[in-house]
Amino acid sequence: MWIPKSNGGRRALGIPCIRDRLVMMAAVLVIGPIFEADLLDNQYGFRPELDAKMAVRRAFWHIKDGGRREVVDADLRDYFTSIPHGPLMRCLTRRIADGQLLRVIKSWLTATVMERAGRRTIRTAEARNTKRGTPQGSPLSPALANLYFRRFALAWRDHGHQDQLNAHIVNYADDFVICCRPGKAEEAMMRMQTLMTRLGLTVNETKTRIARLPEDDFTFLGYTVGRFYGKDGRAFIGTRPSRKAIKSLLRRIHDRTTREWYADTPQNTVAVISSLLRGWCGYFDQGPVMKTYGIIRTYVDRRLRHWLVQRTGGRGRGFDRYTQEYLHDTLGLYRIPSRRADLPKTKA
């Protein structure tokens, strides 16, 4: 199946059959802990007891406390579909001696993809022909992606780039930044591009940039890191949800309260919206978020009332009929925190 990307393109997502998925998951349970021990502490993607917010906080610590205020905001072009099979299999053979398991993993990497187009079935063997890519949608794909990115992170550390430039990597899946001391970012970006080329990966030069804080800002894992201003007008370096993340949430709420959903029950619609809000607010709770929460709360209340009125053929904005008590107490709409004290405690 194809998943729309934010830039207008599409990303292929393979869905293994139940039998293959079961065996893949069994393989992950066996080899996952083995390779987990090898991953570096600056790799946060798809790892036990680590998450994206911890990666954001690590990058923020480098900037604020470490004084590394030049950041290489890097982007790899189609990372998951461009990992070369040969070097990846050599990474696996370092820890796996079972030749049969290695052959099975190799068969998954080169498996033919079948796609339905109307009544036709289209078979493609792009991974086999190009000898690149991990099966996205597979339980094994995140582990393989982490394992191959480790080669870059290890080379950056062991070849002296980290110490020479005082430049530290923070990585989550295919997203990463390099936090540098002032004056070192350009050299760090050049060395990063050289290493990625040697690894058979391509840096997206149109999206890769250098952000010099506090004049510039950058977005990492949904958070914008940059200069903000407090209530007293004093400037500070902090984090907040990116505009892209806010627009994405509002668009999803809008799409769930359109005319095509009039036949759905209010309880079910509110349950879906509450799930979106709970997950979004649970992730985006770092930094000055109360103003953003207020914007989202206002939009949700207005949009939901409009939908409730329109689905019954009524008129007006529904403030009298659908009060806050009705939305939250009767329908069960998630209450977006209005004070920092209401935020759930997060992991340090």
Side-chain angles (χ1 to χ4, degrees):
M1 63 180 293
W2 295 91
I3 299 176
K5 299 170 67 174
S6 59
N7 60 5
R10 297 191 304 169
R11 176 185 290 111
L13 179 66
I15 303 177
C17 64
I18 297 298
R19 183 174 58 181
D20 284 349
R21 190 173 183 85
L22 181 64
V23 179
M24 288 176 183
M25 195 66 234
V28 170
L29 293 175
V30 173
I31 69 175
I34 297 174
F35 290 107
E36 169 66 24
D38 288 339
L39 298 181
L40 305 186
D41 62 0
N42 57 1
Q43 292 183 263
Y44 289 86
F46 312 111
R47 299 181 62 187
E49 300 182 5
L50 298 179
D51 58 32
K53 283 196 294 187
M54 295 174 73
V56 173
R57 288 196 288 268
R58 178 72 170 264
F60 182 66
W61 180 86
H62 281 304
I63 294 166
K64 186 176 180 181
D65 297 336
R68 302 177 182 95
R69 298 195 175 189
E70 287 191 356
V71 178
V72 179
D73 183 10
D75 183 82
L76 296 177
R77 180 176 288 116
D78 299 326
Y79 174 63
F80 286 92
T81 57
S82 62
I83 297 176
H85 291 170
L88 176 60
M89 291 304 299
R90 286 194 290 274
C91 292
L92 292 168
T93 57
R94 289 180 54 255
R95 287 289 198 173
I96 301 176
D98 189 330
Q100 185 174 358
L101 178 57
L102 290 171
R103 286 191 294 272
V104 171
I105 294 175
K106 183 64 179 293
S107 71
W108 288 333
L109 293 176
T110 58
T112 300
V113 177
M114 294 189 297
E115 181 182 0
R116 288 291 180 89
R119 296 183 177 181
R120 295 184 304 147
T121 299
I122 303 173
R123 291 177 171 83
T124 57
E126 182 178 353
R128 179 177 299 173
N129 296 334
T130 62
K131 296 181 173 58
R132 288 178 175 272
T134 61
Q136 292 196 68
S138 159
L140 195 62
S141 183
L144 296 180
N146 275 344
L147 180 62
Y148 198 71
F149 193 92
R150 174 185 176 274
R151 296 189 68 194
F152 167 71
L154 197 64
W156 187 264
R157 186 192 69 184
D158 292 351
H159 292 180
H161 305 300
Q162 177 175 294
D163 293 336
Q164 292 169 14
L165 302 176
N166 198 348
H168 294 256
I169 297 170
V170 181
N171 161 242
Y172 187 94
D174 59 337
D175 291 318
F176 71 101
V177 294
I178 307 176
C179 303
C180 315
R181 286 282 188 175
K184 301 294 185 180
E186 291 184 1
E187 179 66 21
M189 185 163 69
M190 292 175 58
R191 296 191 189 188
M192 178 270 294
Q193 291 173 326
T194 300
L195 284 175
M196 288 299 182
T197 301
R198 291 178 182 175
L199 293 173
L201 302 174
T202 303
V203 176
N204 189 337
E205 296 186 2
T206 59
K207 293 184 178 181
T208 299
R209 56 184 283 266
I210 295 174
R212 295 179 171 86
L213 282 78
E215 293 80 9
D216 302 328
D217 59 36
F218 68 97
T219 298
F220 182 49
L221 301 176
Y223 276 92
T224 294
V225 184
R227 177 165 54 190
F228 305 106
Y229 296 90
K231 294 181 179 179
D232 57 357
R234 184 176 301 177
F236 66 95
I237 295 178
T239 63
R240 71 177 180 191
S242 68
R243 292 182 179 179
K244 181 178 177 181
I246 298 170
K247 289 180 179 179
S248 176
L249 174 66
L250 298 184
R251 182 168 58 250
R252 294 176 69 182
I253 293 171
H254 175 275
D255 293 343
R256 193 55 180 79
T257 52
T258 55
R259 182 175 300 177
E260 64 179 295
W261 293 102
Y262 282 172
D264 199 7
T265 64
Q267 290 79 5
N268 191 53
T269 294
V270 168
V272 172
I273 294 175
S274 293
S275 179
L276 290 174
L277 295 175
R278 188 177 294 108
W280 197 91
C281 293
Y283 179 71
F284 291 105
D285 59 358
Q286 308 294 295
V289 295
M290 290 299 109
K291 182 178 180 180
T292 301
Y293 282 2
I295 294 172
I296 295 172
R297 186 186 306 108
T298 300
Y299 179 84
V300 171
D301 290 351
R302 178 175 59 83
R303 184 69 191 174
L304 186 56
R305 285 192 179 98
H306 176 79
W307 181 81
L308 290 169
V309 169
Q310 292 296 313
R311 70 182 292 275
T312 58
R315 295 182 178 181
R317 298 184 177 182
F319 285 100
D320 295 332
R321 183 176 179 183
Y322 303 111
T323 63
Q324 289 288 335
E325 290 73 16
Y326 179 81
L327 295 179
H328 294 286
D329 298 336
T330 304
L331 296 182
L333 180 64
Y334 173 71
R335 293 183 183 273
I336 299 175
S338 57
R339 303 177 303 161
R340 287 215 67 89
D342 297 331
L343 291 175
K345 301 297 182 182
T346 57
K347 291 184 288 185

